Amino acid sequence: MTEHRVLAPVIADGEKPKGPASYFPSIEKAYGRPVQAWLDLAADRLDHHPHMEVVTWLKDDHGLGHGHANAIVAYVKAKLTG
């Protein structure tokens, strides 16, 4: 796992997340894994691959839709460049 782990946001009941995090509840529901697992995968992959290659990898190898994959990668990149 990457040394620069990006933690998933804590979204309180009734709170409406903004930006890429707004996709996270539907990502968990659609793919049956916690968003933290996807963030960890993306953070590790971003160590050696550009944004769109990681999006394509999440789509092709893990079955995510484009919007979901892009939201995960965009969130991780934003937090890492913080």
Side-chain angles (χ1 to χ4, degrees):
M1 182 167 313
T2 185
E3 295 175 9
H4 46 264
R5 186 174 196 214
V6 173
L7 297 177
V10 176
I11 302 170
D13 287 340
E15 181 182 353
K16 185 162 173 79
K18 296 177 181 165
S22 65
Y23 287 87
F24 292 174
S26 62
I27 289 171
E28 288 185 339
K29 187 175 184 178
Y31 306 106
R33 294 176 72 176
V35 78
Q36 186 63 59
W38 299 114
L39 297 176
D40 291 344
L41 286 172
D44 286 344
R45 194 79 172 187
L46 280 167
D47 285 341
H48 304 288
H49 301 276
H51 180 112
M52 287 310 297
E53 282 186 19
V54 179
V55 169
T56 300
W57 173 72
L58 287 170
K59 291 167 49 178
D60 293 348
D61 289 13
H62 295 282
L64 272 72
H66 180 82
H68 288 163
N70 193 56
I72 290 166
V73 177
Y75 183 84
V76 170
K77 282 186 69 174
K79 292 298 182 182
L80 291 176
T81 60

